[in-house]
Amino acid sequence: AEALTIGEQHPLDPTPTLVSEPANLTVTFGFGPGLFDAFGLAAQRPPGVAVYPPFQHDELQSRWSEGDLLVQFCAEDALTVTHAAQALVSAAGGRATVRWRQAGFGRHVGVAEGETGRNLMGNKDGTGNDTPQSQRWQETVWAAAGPGTPDWFVGGTTMVVRRIRMDLPQWYAASDRTRDRTIGRTMESGAPLGTADEFDPVPLSAQQSDGSLQIPSSSHVRLSHPDSNAGARMFRRGFNYADPDDSGLIFIAIQADATRGVLPVQARIAAGDDLNRFTTAIGSAAFALPPGAGPGEYVGQGLLG
């Protein structure tokens, strides 16, 4: 993996001619709940790394769910990603078999570096994320030493992956007003309803002239907002996907502890989000992402060494 990310050839690489341009490739590893059980390390499994029962409205399929080992490849070039994935699968030499592969894409034409991209519904996706430079982002993402955190996991994080199918024909048939109120933001600008800019604070208490809430009570923005979930936060990273049989979003939530992040938020969304009329989760998995490997170390050495 290290060789692939810096454009160097490796003896186990079956096609070394494809590694000269790494295209900002990153490789991320995660451990699913089954890995801890297989090695007799259940006591070392971080909170939130588990097989979740379906939420209301979920139609989970095994072909997109669970898994013992996650390897995520991200790059600015599809050939680089495809080659890197195949190279590591080949290097596994039969010790691991592929359970699922999901291919997604992010940046698109018209979106400059640092701007918020759009999902296939046309909404800006990821507006509420803190920046990695902020203290709150650091506290949200990285596991800190303390009760319930295994020693090996300090400095790691948790990734929850949900494959969300979108009913795009139904969404496209909805009126602009319905779509805006379903999300709680204006489709065009991404601004919270009643405000002017995408990054304006969400006015959860604001009312319209008739006394109704400016941000509808069943809107996605209201039900997923930290202020509606006892401060629960996560770093959201979504990737669009478009397959012959369905299209949607590979929703990725990253946080130190999923039991204090995506899980309570998802429970609230499942109970009353208007967006449920247009989306269905068909895949679900959770993984512990170990701290990075230093020189001479291997990934997960603190757990497996």
Side-chain angles (χ1 to χ4, degrees):
E2 181 180 15
L4 288 167
T5 62
I6 60 177
E8 290 186 355
Q9 295 184 3
H10 190 279
L12 292 179
D13 193 334
T15 318
T17 55
L18 296 178
V19 304
S20 59
E21 176 48 66
N24 286 326
L25 174 70
T26 61
V27 183
T28 303
F29 296 90
F31 301 153
L35 183 142
F36 295 89
D37 295 337
F39 286 94
L41 296 170
Q44 297 296 318
R45 187 169 65 195
V49 180
V51 177
Y52 306 143
F55 290 97
Q56 186 180 356
H57 307 295
D58 284 1
E59 296 179 6
L60 302 182
Q61 302 174 12
S62 60
R63 64 181 294 205
W64 304 121
S65 300
E66 303 176 26
D68 299 331
L69 175 66
L70 169 81
V71 189
Q72 181 192 47
F73 305 88
C74 296
E76 297 173 350
D77 178 74
L79 179 64
T80 298
V81 169
T82 303
H83 166 253
Q86 190 56 54
L88 263 65
V89 168
S90 297
R95 292 180 293 274
T97 57
V98 176
R99 180 181 179 91
W100 48 254
R101 290 188 184 189
Q102 302 189 52
F105 56 94
R107 191 181 304 171
H108 50 84
V109 173
V111 179
E113 182 72 32
E115 292 184 350
T116 310
R118 295 184 184 268
N119 59 36
L120 295 179
M121 285 181 158
N123 299 301
K124 293 196 171 187
D125 202 301
T127 297
N129 278 332
D130 293 315
T131 63
Q133 294 76 27
S134 70
Q135 182 63 31
R136 191 164 64 185
W137 190 95
Q138 300 289 329
E139 295 171 351
T140 297
V141 170
W142 303 122
T149 302
D151 290 343
W152 74 270
F153 191 58
V154 174
T157 191
T158 304
M159 176 187 288
V160 174
V161 182
R162 284 174 61 81
R163 185 180 181 91
I164 301 174
R165 174 185 289 162
M166 296 176 172
D167 187 341
L168 294 178
Q170 183 181 356
W171 180 254
Y172 293 160
S175 67
D176 290 346
R177 183 175 187 274
T178 294
R179 288 185 285 185
D180 287 354
R181 290 179 62 79
T182 294
I183 300 300
R185 291 181 178 272
T186 304
M187 290 276 293
E188 180 65 26
S189 67
L193 296 183
T195 69
D197 184 78
E198 174 188 354
F199 299 103
D200 284 341
V202 179
L204 294 177
S205 60
Q207 296 182 345
Q208 302 184 94
S209 57
D210 62 0
S212 62
L213 289 169
Q214 191 165 268
I215 306 294
S217 59
S218 55
S219 67
H220 183 70
V221 163
R222 176 176 293 278
L223 293 180
S224 62
H225 196 278
D227 289 352
S228 301
N229 294 278
R233 293 183 179 275
M234 70 198 83
F235 174 64
R236 294 168 293 124
R237 195 180 188 201
F239 294 91
N240 300 305
Y241 75 87
D243 291 342
D245 54 345
D246 72 276
S247 301
L249 186 74
I250 303 171
F251 172 80
I252 295 176
I254 300 175
Q255 64 274 281
D257 182 354
T259 64
R260 295 186 288 110
V262 68
L263 294 185
V265 174
Q266 185 59 47
R268 188 173 182 86
I269 288 173
D273 193 336
D274 277 346
L275 193 57
N276 293 330
R277 294 185 294 154
F278 304 98
T279 60
T280 304
I282 60 174
S284 175
F287 303 94
L289 276 55
E297 297 178 345
Y298 59 83
V299 173
Q301 185 166 329
L303 172 67
L304 302 172

